[in-house]
Amino acid sequence: MTEAKLGLILTSIAVITVAVALYRQRALGRNGLVTVAAATLLVLCSMFFTQ
């Protein structure tokens, strides 16, 4: 695994963690949380497998 792929994984985890924290503070709705998680995972998969 290259450093770029590791960076993608860590960044995706950070983005999803922030989204969950915002959801717990009621600053982000359930639909927003699902959208953030789905978009992040989609970008992660597309960039991870094309590098």
Side-chain angles (χ1 to χ4, degrees):
M1 183 180 318
T2 64
E3 290 180 12
K5 288 184 179 181
L6 182 62
L8 283 170
I9 293 169
L10 294 176
T11 303
S12 297
I13 292 170
V15 168
I16 292 173
T17 302
V18 168
V20 169
L22 288 172
Y23 174 74
R24 286 187 169 188
Q25 294 175 357
R26 304 208 189 272
L28 186 65
R30 184 179 304 254
N31 290 337
L33 176 63
V34 171
T35 302
V36 168
T40 302
L41 292 175
L42 182 66
V43 170
L44 170 68
C45 289
S46 67
M47 292 184 74
F48 188 83
F49 292 117
T50 59
Q51 283 190 352

